[in-house]
């Protein structure tokens, strides 16, 4: 008595009725294997990637079920004062993803690049665009990750205009936003014949905020230099020397008879 030949849609082969057949699947990166099941039935047959069964019906359609893995990716700004990122967290698949992450620099900072501080996957660190296209870089994480937008504090120049000094003293100082660079030591003060140096102000003719006193020391606790001696103005600044004319007291005495 002959047995039937039953077609297998998984593998495209034919087997004899009652034969034992082993089905094997390889799980791609970014997926987890769920189970095997036959077409027309929602009953899970096996959660193993290798499944052996006896073929006793025709046709036999075996399906391997998978779930695409999702990973949370946290996005931060480095340093935190350097700017903002949106969104602050995204959920990405292990395969193709879309969307983008945006970085916005705060005043006094410039966006530098993107980097990954933890996690795994084919992350690309190339490019300096403040909008990171997840789709274009084809980022596919393989674990929970943290990505950061890196910002760099800007450098600025403080120009010291001495307004006709006989001896110029310091003429400029380089500073860095949110840093004490150039502000921890005093300047060399200018001198002017017939005048007394009273300091450098943000405005001419003594109108403005004094940032350097008569001894050449920096004045802190204002909108330009905070109490920790950090530069807080997002731009170059010109300071103006304030001069006070010297005065001489002449005393007269009267003697003899007029």
């Amino acid at each position: 008595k002959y047995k039937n030949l039953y077609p297998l849609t998984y593998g495209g082969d034919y087997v004899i009725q009652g034969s034992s057949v082993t089905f094997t699947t390889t799980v791609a990166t970014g997926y987890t294997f769920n189970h095997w099941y036959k077409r027309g039935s929602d009953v899970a047959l096996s959660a193993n990637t290798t499944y052996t069964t006896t073929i006793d019906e025709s046709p036999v359609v075996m399906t391997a079920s998978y779930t695409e893995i999702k990973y949370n990716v946290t996005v931060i700004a480095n340093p935190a004062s350097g700017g903002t990122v949106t969104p602050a967290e995204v959920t990405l698949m292990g395969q193709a993803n879309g969307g983008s992450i945006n970085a916005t620099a705060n005043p006094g900072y410039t966006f530098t690049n993107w980097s990954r501080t933890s996690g795994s996957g084919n992350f690309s660190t190339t490019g300096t665009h403040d909008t990171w296209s997840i789709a274009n870089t084809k980022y596919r994480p393989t674990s929970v990750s943290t990505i950061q937008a890196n910002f760099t504090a800007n450098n600025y120049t403080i120009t010291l205009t001495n307004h006709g000094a006989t001896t110029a003293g310091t003429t400029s100082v380089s500073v860095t936003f949110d840093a004490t660079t150039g502000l921890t030591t005093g300047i060399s003060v200018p001198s002017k014949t017939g005048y007394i140096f009273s300091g450098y102000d943000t405005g001419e003719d003594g109108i403005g905020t004094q940032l350097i006193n008569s001894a050449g020391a920096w004045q802190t606790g204002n909108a330009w230099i905070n109490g920790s001696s950090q530069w807080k103005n997002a731009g170059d600044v010109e300071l103006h020397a304030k001069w006070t004319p010297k005065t001489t007291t002449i005393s007269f005495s009267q003697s003899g008879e007029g």
Side-chain angles (χ1 to χ4, degrees):
K1 186 176 182 179
Y2 295 99
K3 293 186 177 181
N4 296 326
L5 286 176
Y6 287 168
L8 297 176
T9 59
Y10 187 94
D13 204 351
Y14 284 83
V15 297
I16 299 175
Q17 178 185 6
S19 298
S20 178
V21 177
T22 298
F23 299 91
T24 302
T25 184
T26 300
V27 183
T29 301
Y31 289 87
T32 57
F33 177 72
N34 297 325
H35 56 259
W36 293 95
Y37 66 91
K38 292 182 180 179
R39 186 175 66 179
S41 172
D42 293 329
V43 178
L45 299 176
S46 174
N48 297 321
T49 55
T50 298
Y51 173 63
T52 301
T53 185
T54 299
I55 304 303
D56 55 5
E57 58 183 318
S58 179
V60 178
V61 181
M62 296 297 297
T63 301
S65 171
Y66 308 90
T67 297
E68 193 170 14
I69 302 173
K70 298 179 180 180
Y71 299 102
N72 288 331
V73 178
T74 301
V75 188
I76 62 175
N78 175 49
S81 59
T84 57
V85 290
T86 53
E89 185 175 82
V90 292
T91 300
L92 301 181
M93 305 293 189
Q95 295 297 312
N97 295 283
S100 60
I101 301 173
N102 299 303
T104 303
N106 285 336
Y109 286 87
T110 299
F111 173 78
T112 305
N113 58 18
W114 298 94
S115 62
R116 184 176 60 201
T117 59
S118 66
S120 58
N122 64 331
F123 179 77
S124 172
T125 59
T126 60
T128 58
H129 298 291
D130 53 10
T131 296
W132 178 49
S133 173
I134 300 171
N136 290 346
T137 58
K138 296 180 172 59
Y139 180 45
R140 296 174 176 85
T142 56
S143 67
V144 174
S145 306
T146 298
I147 292 172
Q148 66 182 24
N150 298 303
F151 300 91
T152 301
N154 297 334
N155 295 320
Y156 298 108
T157 298
I158 302 175
T159 301
L160 305 178
T161 302
N162 58 45
H163 295 291
T166 306
T167 303
T170 303
T171 58
S172 67
V173 178
S174 296
V175 294
T176 302
F177 192 82
D178 265 353
T180 61
T181 305
L183 302 174
T184 56
T185 57
I187 67 161
S188 174
V189 300
S191 63
K192 185 177 183 180
T193 303
Y195 291 84
I196 299 172
F197 175 70
S198 301
Y200 276 105
D201 292 356
T202 57
E204 294 189 56
D205 302 322
I207 301 174
T209 301
Q210 186 181 69
L211 296 188
I212 301 175
N213 66 17
S214 60
W218 295 95
Q219 304 298 282
T220 61
N222 51 63
W224 287 264
I225 308 171
N226 67 12
S228 299
S229 296
Q230 296 172 325
W231 185 251
K232 301 300 292 184
N233 184 73
D236 298 328
V237 170
E238 180 181 12
L239 301 183
H240 301 270
K242 182 168 62 176
W243 299 101
T244 302
K246 292 182 179 179
T247 59
T248 302
T249 300
I250 301 177
S251 301
F252 295 92
S253 63
Q254 182 175 357
S255 63
E257 296 181 359

